[in-house]
Amino acid sequence: MKLPLPPGTRLPNHTVWLNGELVRGDQAAISLWDRGARAGGAIFETLRVYAGRPFAWEKHLERLVLSAAELGFPVPPSPSQLREAVDQVLAAEKLSDAVIRITVTRGVPGGRPVRTGAWVDAEPLGGRLWAGTRRRDSQPDGGARLMLSRHPFSPGWLGRHKTTSRLAWELAREEANAARADETLLVSPSGHVLEGAASNVFAVRPDGALLTPPLDADVLPGITRALVLSLCPALGIEVRQLPIPFDALKLADEVFLTNSVQEIVPVAELAGRPVPSQEVGRRLLEAYRALVTSG
Ligand SMILES: Cc1ncc(COP(=O)(O)O)c(C=O)c1O
């Protein structure tokens, strides 16, 4: 089947696993009757693959399955089928350090039983790293530039799920791209820090306590955020999930961002001002990388 695309459209030509088959180009298509296409009715996971192995696979699959259940999706493909799909796509694209995305739609209504649409695609890691992530790894005090979004942000309860209803987050990310920053900080109408457009946020207060906004602020329950919280006790770091006013963030000794692809990224510049320290974030990064190596 040939898709009726506007003349001159160039489709990515990656191999994609789609509903059980490997396809590419024109064939990597879902029905426009699928609720994923019509109304942002899909959920997804983005995972980093280290030397051919997806990191924190069970945790990502757990988040996907819990969201599917809570949002009333048809039953998604089994974790083992999706795991096999990941291996097939990595092999077809000859990728070993990569970013995998798993997407599951709510399917076309009316059938019995309704099936989800599901696909898995992969990209080389290199194209996905922020400039600030590269600076983190190449300079002792290198890190991300974090800018403040122009718009107050009210995610609502869906903010706790990784859905494709993502225009507000995408536009926020584009603010960062336009300003040559790495990430955009989302702040609520009451002036509280929520998260980055694609990351969770941590801050070290002048009294040494590490803080991150609580999940009841309707932020995404990030997998990297959860791993950071679990690493803190063994490192003797006291961490609390508490609301952070943006005015307090500006006075923080340290700010860092967490995301499965970027890992833990110290913020070097917040809304145009240098952030003095990176110590806690870099200690956590070392422990996180040890987890990746052992995992
Ligand atoms: C809005 C938002 N917050 C946080 C994160 C970080 O989540 P994770 O650590 O699971 O990658 C993401 C990831 O893309 C995100 O989109």
Side-chain angles (χ1 to χ4, degrees):
M1 179 194 61
K2 196 111 189 87
L3 285 182
L5 291 166
T9 304
R10 281 184 55 203
L11 291 173
N13 202 25
H14 307 152
T15 302
V16 174
W17 180 97
L18 174 64
N19 296 328
E21 282 177 56
L22 290 181
V23 295
R24 55 196 304 147
D26 270 11
Q27 297 193 311
I30 61 167
S31 163
L32 55 79
W33 307 117
D34 190 310
R35 288 175 289 198
R38 291 183 82 79
I43 49 178
F44 68 107
E45 286 297 321
T46 307
L47 293 87
R48 181 156 162 180
V49 176
Y50 295 83
R53 288 175 47 204
F55 178 59
W57 172 258
E58 287 81 10
K59 292 186 167 51
H60 283 278
L61 262 286
E62 185 184 10
R63 182 169 67 184
L64 184 79
V65 169
L66 288 177
S67 281
E70 203 174 315
L71 301 176
F73 276 49
V75 177
S78 70
S80 61
Q81 199 184 1
L82 290 172
R83 186 66 186 76
E84 218 170 279
V86 166
D87 284 344
Q88 287 178 14
V89 170
L90 290 173
E93 289 290 303
K94 299 188 176 51
L95 288 172
S96 108
D97 289 316
V99 177
I100 283 279
R101 172 171 156 151
I102 301 170
T103 310
V104 171
T105 75
R106 289 181 72 210
V108 180
R112 293 253 179 277
V114 175
R115 302 271 180 214
T116 59
W119 74 88
V120 176
D121 60 280
E123 280 176 67
L125 173 67
R128 292 291 297 266
L129 293 179
W130 298 341
T133 306
R134 292 179 189 280
R135 285 193 295 272
R136 170 199 71 193
D137 292 337
S138 61
Q139 299 166 19
D141 55 357
R145 293 183 60 211
L146 176 61
M147 65 173 284
L148 177 63
S149 175
R150 280 185 289 142
H151 307 286
F153 208 76
S154 311
W157 66 276
L158 270 180
R160 282 179 273 141
H161 300 277
K162 207 165 155 72
T163 75
T164 58
S165 311
R166 238 168 172 68
L167 186 57
W169 284 264
E170 267 202 42
L171 293 177
R173 271 218 60 75
E174 285 171 18
E175 288 183 59
N177 295 343
R180 302 178 75 83
D182 294 289
E183 177 63 311
T184 309
L185 181 68
L186 306 175
V187 173
S188 72
S190 65
H192 288 89
V193 172
L194 296 168
E195 59 189 331
S199 57
N200 292 107
V201 181
F202 288 76
V204 180
R205 267 195 327 216
D207 68 2
L210 178 62
L211 303 184
T212 193
L215 296 181
D216 63 14
D218 290 334
V219 298
L220 190 79
I223 303 300
T224 324
R225 175 188 183 279
L227 287 170
V228 164
L229 291 174
S230 72
L231 287 169
C232 282
L235 297 177
I237 298 169
E238 188 202 339
V239 59
R240 291 195 222 141
Q241 301 181 54
L242 283 179
I244 310 175
F246 177 62
D247 287 339
L249 191 79
K250 286 193 284 190
L251 301 176
D253 278 350
E254 185 173 340
V255 178
F256 60 84
L257 304 171
T258 61
N259 163 285
S260 297
V261 177
Q262 316 299 331
E263 307 165 313
I264 298 166
V265 188
V267 172
E269 193 187 301
L270 168 64
R273 289 199 224 164
V275 178
S277 174
Q278 302 195 349
E279 194 224 313
V280 177
R282 285 191 179 262
R283 276 175 64 208
L284 281 159
L285 177 63
E286 203 178 309
Y288 182 85
R289 291 219 169 124
L291 215 55
V292 169
T293 311
S294 67

